Amino acid sequence: MTMNAITRSQIYVLDQDEALDFYVNKLGMEVNTDQDLGFMRWLTVNLPGDPEREILLEKPGPPALDPATAGQVRELLTKGALSGWLSITTDDARKTYEDLVAKGVDITDEPTERPYGIDFGVRDPFGNRIRIGQMFPRA
């Protein structure tokens, strides 16, 4: 058995419509799947041109969580004590930073040169942390 790709990741969001607006209209991602499964809304986004790598924007609840646990997860998200983490690359970190500032995205730190590249941080409306970086070529 050989595993060859990570195709889906998941982060919790409190409002899927607000998440969709943020990830598509502010970060520039594309909707991959938006389907009402009856027991949940399966909402995934991906970077343009990369539909094989999806991010599930999941509202805490069934079928993964019982109502009491979902309430605890929502409470922790609201407090900022439970957040996901994404890392995204860009060709130009400083330009991407300027674009996101202009769109009113919550910036947690400005572009900084590091040994691996130039990166900065943003936060989605639910406290999930996102690092956006322009990576240096590997030696």
Side-chain angles (χ1 to χ4, degrees), residues 16-132:
Q16 287 176 305
D17 291 325
E18 185 178 1
L20 188 61
D21 179 62
F22 176 80
Y23 283 92
V24 172
N25 296 325
K26 301 234 174 160
L27 292 188
M29 294 187 181
E30 300 173 338
V31 175
N32 187 299
T33 305
D34 189 352
Q35 178 133 17
D36 182 354
L37 300 178
F39 55 88
M40 74 175 286
R41 179 180 179 189
W42 185 265
L43 177 61
T44 66
V45 294
N46 58 265
L47 291 171
D50 195 8
E52 299 302 315
R53 295 183 188 160
E54 302 172 64
I55 301 167
L56 173 63
L57 305 173
E58 184 176 8
K59 190 173 177 181
L65 303 172
D66 63 69
T69 304
Q72 292 171 332
V73 169
R74 284 191 297 274
E75 183 179 337
L76 289 170
L77 275 170
T78 302
K79 289 180 178 180
L82 177 71
S83 64
W85 188 85
L86 299 171
S87 181
I88 301 169
T89 57
T90 181
D91 292 333
D92 187 336
R94 296 185 196 290
K95 171 81 170 89
T96 301
Y97 168 82
E98 291 170 8
D99 291 347
L100 295 179
V101 166
K103 291 178 180 179
V105 171
D106 183 9
I107 305 293
T108 59
D109 62 309
E110 297 182 1
T112 302
E113 189 164 327
R114 305 181 191 281
Y116 52 82
I118 301 167
D119 80 343
F120 64 97
V122 305
R123 187 175 18 243
D124 80 1
F126 317 100
N128 292 302
R129 296 164 295 166
I130 303 166
R131 298 299 303 176
I132 300 174

